[in-house]
Amino acid sequence: MTHPHTTAKSTAVSATESTTVPSSGTGRDGVELQLCDVWRRLLRRDDVGIHDDFFSLGGHSLLAIKLTVEVRRLFQIDLTAADLLSAATVAELAEIVRRGTADRQGQPVRIQQGSGGSPVYALPPVSGTVLLYPPIARAMGVDQPFWAVQSVGLLPGEEPLSSLEDISECFIEQLRTVHPEGAEWNLIGYSMGGLLAYETARRLTERGERVGLVGLLDTRITVEPSGDPDFALRALLWRGLKLNLDIDWLRGLTRDTRAKVLVERAVAAGTMPADFDADRLRRMIDMYQFNLDALAAYRIRPYDGTVTVFRVTDRSMEDCTLPDDLGWSEVAARAVVCDVPGDHFTMVEPGQVEVLGRRLREQLDLASVAALPS
């Protein structure tokens, strides 16, 4: 058992287990029958019902991309990752197909409906996507309502926002459309998403609104501007596409040619489906850079509240010795540190994410009690 600690005192953590119970139900029309067939093939299992959650059955980000390709092929509907997360069952996805559109730009993504309590809102990391959050939501318990927002600029026709402050304001406007009246705000974020969660909590508190959990998933207090002009491209190559290519050679290519080459290499490596759109990949690369620029320009301000830092126990990847709270006690009124297994990348992967989810749920329960009106 691990114990979170603060600059003032320690708070014990107890474990709570969660289980996922698959639903039953076969396809009720041609659309649902075809979608069930696609799920069975992608997930390599026979027991797929129309109310089963794609990610609970073993789906992940690469399979999600392949699913959107299959839907495009079968129904000529261009889904986004956000569409799949907000409609993660065959029955829900079939409704989008029947309407003939998947246009949900600028809308929060419901990752988990839950059965009550204040929702958790997840803010995006530097990639701008929200595909890493479904396993975290499941690990928190299927009864926990869980929403996420993705960066503006990932979808065609969207203009990226240039500052972290503007991004935060945009997310507040989006989340107000689903936030229950009178409920406290619970905000979490992985890496860059933690800074967005912090800034959003700070703004909400200034407006007199109740904030519960502010969960920073291994987020540093500051982000130093990278001296590497190709940092965004390297991050996408190594973490996203898992390709080891010569950066100098790629830099010499035009923007369109580079995207085409990367798609071809990723398809050959099996990390991207053959029908992936090169324009979508260009937007992904640009999103990394826009977010990195916004991070480098951000000037953090004090927050009169509590933040909870979910700190990895494997710190071998860190380039220097960092304080346990990653510096958050310098700007927040109180910083709680909660240890979780893994390193910065593996903390959200199977084998480690289950513990992270339990720790989040425990700290959420504590923060909800603290946020009750006195």
Side-chain angles (χ1 to χ4, degrees), residues 15 38 116-117 181 201 255 281 291 313 343 349 351 354 368:
V38 172
E181 185 176 355
R255 184 170 176 264
L281 182 63
N291 281 334
T313 55
D343 60 32
E349 295 180 353
E354 296 83 2
S368 294

Side-chain angles (χ1 to χ4, degrees), residues 184-187 194-216 221 298-309 327-336 367 370-371:
E184 75 268 16
W185 292 80
N186 299 303
L187 305 153
L195 282 163
L196 284 167
Y198 175 87
E199 178 63 21
T200 301
R202 195 188 64 76
R203 288 169 176 265
L204 289 168
T205 300
E206 282 186 345
R207 295 165 193 177
E209 303 200 40
R210 288 191 300 124
V211 173
L213 177 67
V214 182
L216 315 177
I221 188 174
Y298 178 56
R299 296 296 176 262
I300 198 163
R301 296 170 61 188
Y303 170 54
D304 186 22
T306 299
V307 299
T308 303
V309 183
W328 286 102
S329 58
E330 299 175 16
V331 292
R334 181 171 179 259
V336 175

Side-chain angles (χ1 to χ4, degrees), residues 161-174:
L161 299 173
S162 58
S163 76
L164 196 139
E165 292 85 354
D166 288 344
I167 295 170
S168 174
E169 281 297 324
C170 177
F171 289 162
I172 290 174
E173 291 180 14
Q174 291 184 29

Side-chain angles (χ1 to χ4, degrees), residues 7-50:
T7 55
K9 61 182 180 179
S10 297
T11 305
V13 170
S14 60
T16 58
E17 298 296 332
S18 64
T19 57
T20 301
V21 180
S23 304
S24 59
T26 56
R28 298 168 294 186
D29 61 16
V31 172
E32 290 182 354
L33 287 171
Q34 289 181 86
L35 289 174
C36 281
D37 178 61
V38 172
W39 282 31
R40 282 192 291 268
R41 286 188 284 108
L42 290 179
L43 297 169
R44 297 183 181 180
R45 56 187 302 161
D46 296 325
D47 56 335
V48 172
I50 61 171

Side-chain angles (χ1 to χ4, degrees), residues 62-223:
L62 179 58
L63 286 181
I65 293 174
K66 291 182 177 180
L67 177 56
T68 64
V69 171
E70 284 296 302
V71 169
R72 187 187 308 127
R73 181 181 65 82
L74 287 171
F75 306 108
Q76 290 74 57
I77 298 292
D78 192 13
L79 294 175
T80 67
D83 291 312
L84 181 56
L85 289 174
S86 62
T89 70
V90 166
E92 291 171 332
L93 193 56
E95 286 298 316
I96 292 181
V97 173
R98 293 189 193 101
R99 289 198 301 268
T101 179
D103 184 11
R104 298 182 174 209
Q105 295 189 23
Q107 295 298 315
V109 178
R110 191 184 73 190
I111 291 180
Q112 192 163 270
Q113 182 173 0
S115 57
S118 297
V120 167
Y121 302 120
L123 289 302
V126 70
S127 65
T129 69
V130 295
L131 286 172
L132 69 92
Y133 287 120
I136 296 175
R138 292 198 305 276
M140 290 189 71
V142 294
D143 61 325
Q144 175 58 53
F146 197 109
W147 294 79
V149 286
Q150 70 177 18
S151 292
V152 176
L154 279 176
L155 298 177
E158 290 185 340
E159 288 295 326
L161 299 173
S162 58
S163 76
L164 196 139
E165 292 85 354
D166 288 344
I167 295 170
S168 174
E169 281 297 324
C170 177
F171 289 162
I172 290 174
E173 291 180 14
Q174 291 184 29
L175 292 172
R176 283 199 191 281
T177 65
V178 300
H179 185 63
E181 185 176 355
E184 75 268 16
W185 292 80
N186 299 303
L187 305 153
I188 70 169
Y190 170 72
S191 198
M192 169 188 170
L195 282 163
L196 284 167
Y198 175 87
E199 178 63 21
T200 301
R202 195 188 64 76
R203 288 169 176 265
L204 289 168
T205 300
E206 282 186 345
R207 295 165 193 177
E209 303 200 40
R210 288 191 300 124
V211 173
L213 177 67
V214 182
L216 315 177
L217 310 189
D218 208 48
T219 300
R220 299 188 187 188
I221 188 174
T222 58
V223 176

